Amino acid sequence: MLNNPKPNIKLKLTSLWTALMFLYVYADFFDEKTPASIESFGNLQTPIGPLTPELLLIFSVILIIPSCMIFLSVFLSPRINKWLNIVIALLWSIMSFALLIDTIGSDWYKFYALYQIVEIFILFMIVWQALTWPKVESNTR
């Protein structure tokens, strides 16, 4: 029988954030192939208006934070790590839920809704893993 060691919490969180980032990349990749995106690309339009340097900076921060959570989940101390994972995952799940609502009723964005559902699931898994962070057993004899 093969040994199946239990992964530690930091590895679990890092894996979840990594999976989330892959979903972000692929959802955006497929989004660029839709007729609406192809048309708006030439006009420098985004889903929330014309592309500006400030909007590009906001979009960058939105993707930089979960990217950084991949390595922060390994290197931060447990207490900070736990609460940062919970807060960031909850905030990003609100954004994902808003995007999911925005895609309802669009034939071209059924794929995007699927990505949002999986992203929300992963974000809640991050919250769950962080909330159930194992505690050190102390010997108080």
Side-chain angles (χ1 to χ4, degrees):
M1 182 178 286
L2 296 174
N3 183 17
N4 187 19
K6 185 176 180 180
N8 71 39
I9 185 67
K10 289 184 172 191
L11 179 62
K12 290 178 184 180
L13 291 168
T14 298
S15 299
L16 288 164
W17 283 110
T18 302
L20 186 73
M21 289 308 302
F22 274 106
L23 291 169
Y24 286 162
V25 168
Y26 281 111
D28 287 346
F29 175 79
F30 290 130
D31 178 49
E32 291 174 2
K33 311 300 182 239
T34 62
S37 289
I38 292 170
E39 180 181 316
S40 65
F41 183 74
N43 301 329
L44 295 178
Q45 290 293 314
T46 71
I48 59 173
L51 185 63
T52 64
E54 295 79 17
L55 195 54
L56 195 53
L57 182 62
I58 291 168
F59 289 158
S60 296
V61 170
I62 288 172
L63 289 176
I64 287 170
I65 291 174
S67 297
C68 289
M69 289 305 297
I70 294 169
F71 73 84
L72 290 174
S73 293
V74 172
F75 292 104
L76 290 176
S77 67
R79 182 173 297 247
I80 294 169
N81 204 338
K82 174 182 179 169
W83 290 108
L84 189 61
N85 270 280
I86 292 168
V87 170
I88 299 294
L90 286 174
L91 289 173
W92 263 245
S93 64
I94 292 168
M95 284 190 299
S96 289
F97 189 72
L99 288 169
L100 175 62
I101 298 300
D102 189 51
T103 62
I104 292 175
S106 172
D107 285 339
W108 275 104
Y109 286 98
K110 288 179 183 174
F111 80 93
Y112 205 74
L114 176 62
Y115 275 98
Q116 294 307 314
I117 291 167
V118 176
E119 289 170 14
I120 292 167
F121 173 76
I122 289 175
L123 287 161
F124 279 113
M125 286 296 298
I126 291 168
V127 171
W128 176 253
Q129 290 296 319
L131 282 172
T132 60
W133 193 296
K135 299 203 183 313
V136 176
E137 293 182 27
S138 63
N139 293 331
T140 56
R141 291 185 197 198

